[in-house]
Amino acid sequence: QWQVAESGGGLAQAGDSLRLSCAASGRPYSSHVLGWCRQGPGNAREFVAAIRWGGGRTYYADSVKGRFTISRDSADYTVHLQMNNLKLEDTSVYYCAVGTDLGYCQQPIRALTWGQGTQDSVSS
């Protein structure tokens, strides 16, 4: 069964940076969209950023544009999320997912697979 696993993240202060990684157990298809969703306390899961494996087109939520950068490493089937200038509202559990479109954050069943999630906490 195809899987993804997150790593990185943790505790940070406002203004600091964190880096998340998501490693796939196999080579994604060109049509696959690998991305990150997050869910803060009491909130619904929301889209953060994604990258299409074939071609590398990137997508970002307005709330993270200019601060977060998603990239892919084709050599080891890994996607990275570099999070700079962190804000208190970035505190969430971050989930890596793979799908064929960007809808899986709002409709989790549309993802092909999900990671376990990693907690990132930003303090003042």
Side-chain angles (χ1 to χ4, degrees):
Q1 184 176 356
W2 206 56
Q3 297 178 334
V4 292
E6 302 104 337
S7 61
L11 303 176
Q13 291 189 317
D16 284 351
S17 298
L18 287 174
R19 179 179 170 92
L20 303 180
S21 296
C22 173
S25 60
R27 185 185 184 279
Y29 295 153
S30 296
S31 60
H32 283 165
V33 179
L34 282 74
W36 295 90
C37 312
R38 68 185 181 186
Q39 189 165 13
N43 296 332
R45 193 167 295 190
E46 64 176 6
F47 170 72
V48 177
I51 187 167
R52 189 169 295 279
W53 194 258
R57 182 176 179 178
T58 58
Y59 309 85
Y60 295 96
D62 288 342
S63 59
V64 306
K65 279 181 182 177
R67 301 189 297 122
F68 291 12
T69 302
I70 190 168
S71 61
R72 75 188 194 288
D73 187 336
S74 300
D76 59 5
Y77 315 142
T78 300
V79 172
H80 304 286
L81 185 67
Q82 178 67 38
M83 305 185 292
N84 297 330
N85 190 21
L86 286 164
K87 302 178 179 181
L88 298 179
E89 53 265 38
D90 293 321
T91 294
S92 287
V93 177
Y94 285 73
Y95 298 91
C96 177
V98 183
T100 56
D101 56 46
L102 296 179
Y104 46 73
C105 293
Q106 287 73 35
Q107 295 179 285
I109 197 171
R110 294 170 63 173
L112 299 175
T113 189
W114 285 95
Q116 292 297 310
T118 178
Q119 175 70 54
D120 293 334
S121 298
V122 183
S123 62
S124 59

